[in-house]
């Protein structure tokens, strides 16, 4: 699990994709209390969702930021796989702000990770009217708005 989490910060997209699947799978096995603590720690590790263009980012800090945001995105994927458990709303609130960053480079990568996870979450939940209705009942209007506002646009060329 730790090796997969480290791989979330690597440069090659195919490695990050494989790591994302592994991390999300491992997260489905963890207890709710552990997941909530992990989510809070990742949010602190990632730091602010938006940074000024003048903020210098060291290479190690960039990798840590990517790894933390990707791990939060994995938590959203795990929530989808688990049928939207109680902590799902917290995962949405933690990861969604990173879907709005527009600065090129590291923040752009984070934005794509978050939008991809939100799109996958919505695709799974909206696969049937029943599952979508159940999902909507488990989340607050604010959390549903965060999903909608940060899902981005589907693109085959991004």
């Amino acid at each position: 699990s730790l090796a997969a989490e480290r791989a979330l910060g690597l440069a090659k997209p195919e490695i990050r994709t494989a790591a994302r699947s592994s991390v999300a799978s491992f997260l489905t096995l963890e207890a709710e209390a552990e997941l909530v603590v992990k989510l809070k720690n990742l949010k602190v590790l990632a730091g602010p969702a938006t940074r000024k263009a003048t903020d210098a980012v060291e290479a190690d800090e960039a990798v840590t930021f990517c790894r933390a945001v990707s791990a939060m995105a994995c938590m959203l994927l795990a929530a989808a796989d688990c049928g939207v458990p109680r902590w799902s709303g917290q995962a949405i609130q933690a990861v969604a702000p990173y879907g709005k960053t527009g600065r090129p480079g590291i923040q752009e990568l984070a934005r794509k990770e978050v939008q991809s996870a939100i799109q996958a979450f919505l695709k799974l939940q909206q696969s049937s009217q029943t599952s979508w209705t159940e999902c909507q009942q488990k989340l607050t209007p604010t959390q549903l708005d965060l999903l909608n506002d940060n899902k981005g646009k589907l693109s085959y060329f991004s």
Side-chain angles (χ1 to χ4, degrees), residues 9-152:
L10 297 177
K12 291 188 175 182
E14 59 273 12
I15 293 174
R16 285 195 318 272
T17 299
R20 211 174 15 253
S21 297
S22 297
V23 171
S25 295
F26 286 123
L27 290 170
T28 63
L29 303 173
E30 292 192 30
E32 180 180 348
E34 293 169 358
L35 289 168
V36 171
V37 169
K38 182 179 231 97
L39 193 56
K40 289 177 183 175
N41 290 339
L42 288 168
K43 182 98 170 124
V44 169
L45 195 59
T50 55
R51 297 167 189 236
K52 297 179 188 125
T54 56
D55 287 352
V57 179
E58 297 294 323
D60 287 348
E61 183 185 355
V63 169
T64 299
F65 176 78
C66 279
R67 190 181 303 149
V69 171
S70 293
M72 286 188 285
C74 288
M75 293 189 86
L76 188 57
L77 297 173
D81 287 344
C82 292
V84 191
R86 287 192 314 223
W87 54 267
S88 301
Q90 291 172 281
I92 293 166
Q93 289 173 295
V95 78
Y98 297 94
K100 287 227 185 241
T101 61
R103 203 170 120 211
I106 186 156
Q107 288 186 312
E108 179 67 13
L109 182 64
R111 182 186 63 76
K112 286 181 179 182
E113 289 279 324
V114 171
Q115 289 180 355
S116 175
I118 289 174
Q119 289 168 10
F121 178 89
L122 289 170
K123 182 179 179 182
L124 186 60
Q125 296 310 310
Q126 294 174 345
S127 62
S128 78
Q129 184 62 45
T130 303
S131 65
W132 181 233
T133 301
E134 288 173 4
C135 177
Q136 289 174 307
Q137 291 169 350
K138 293 176 182 180
L139 300 174
T140 67
T142 301
Q143 292 162 347
L144 290 167
D145 287 344
L146 283 170
L147 286 173
N148 192 49
D149 294 346
N150 294 285
K151 67 183 176 187

